[in-house]
Amino acid sequence: MSGLVQYIVVRGDLLRNLAWPFGAVIAQACHASTAVMHRFNSDENVQLYLQHLENMHKVVLEVKDEEALRSLAGKLSAASIDHHLWMEEPENIPTALACKPHVKADVQAYFKGLKLFK
């Protein structure tokens, strides 16, 4: 495989504080992942990642709440790291974020300290 990883981050408060069903939270991660792959479909890393469907590497993490998710999105934007912040409609609230596939060493520092989603 190419050494590429896709980071996906969801809001833990959706499950714990707002009592969203587990499946609904997983769907938010899926929406964000699909959206970022579509938005950056012509990107070289995305194309390489998709050539190895059986060996995709994803890491699903969580942040505490909406503020933390927006903060992460801001840091990624400031560093020109391609990602998609998924907004759930009609509520118009951010629920998940997915980065396009990147070389792990290039982006992992932005995700340090985040826990695996469970």
Side-chain angles (χ1 to χ4, degrees), residues 93-105:
I93 58 169
T95 56
L97 176 153
C99 285
K100 75 173 190 186
H102 289 283
V103 174
K104 185 176 183 177

Side-chain angles (χ1 to χ4, degrees), residues 72-81 83:
L72 176 60
K75 290 174 186 173
L76 295 173
S77 292
S80 298
I81 295 173
H83 65 282

Side-chain angles (χ1 to χ4, degrees), residues 15-34:
L15 189 64
R16 291 172 189 78
N17 300 345
L18 300 175
W20 283 35
F22 192 77
V25 176
I26 295 299
Q28 301 307 300
C30 294
H31 292 326
S33 179
T34 302

Side-chain angles (χ1 to χ4, degrees), residues 9-11 14 20 28 69 85-88 93-97:
V9 182
V10 297
R11 289 176 44 190
L14 296 176
W20 283 35
Q28 301 307 300
L69 189 64
L85 180 64
W86 181 258
M87 302 295 286
E88 181 64 7
I93 58 169
T95 56
L97 176 153

Side-chain angles (χ1 to χ4, degrees), residues 16-71:
R16 291 172 189 78
N17 300 345
L18 300 175
W20 283 35
F22 192 77
V25 176
I26 295 299
Q28 301 307 300
C30 294
H31 292 326
S33 179
T34 302
V36 80
M37 298 301 276
H38 177 73
R39 282 185 61 199
F40 299 101
N41 186 41
S42 62
D43 181 85
E44 183 179 338
N45 281 353
V46 171
Q47 289 301 309
L48 185 58
Y49 189 76
L50 293 174
Q51 288 175 9
H52 302 278
L53 292 177
E54 295 79 19
N55 297 306
M56 289 182 175
H57 182 195
K58 289 180 175 42
V59 178
V60 182
L61 304 168
E62 73 174 78
V63 291
K64 179 181 175 183
D65 55 21
E66 179 179 343
E67 181 180 341
L69 189 64
R70 287 186 184 274
S71 175

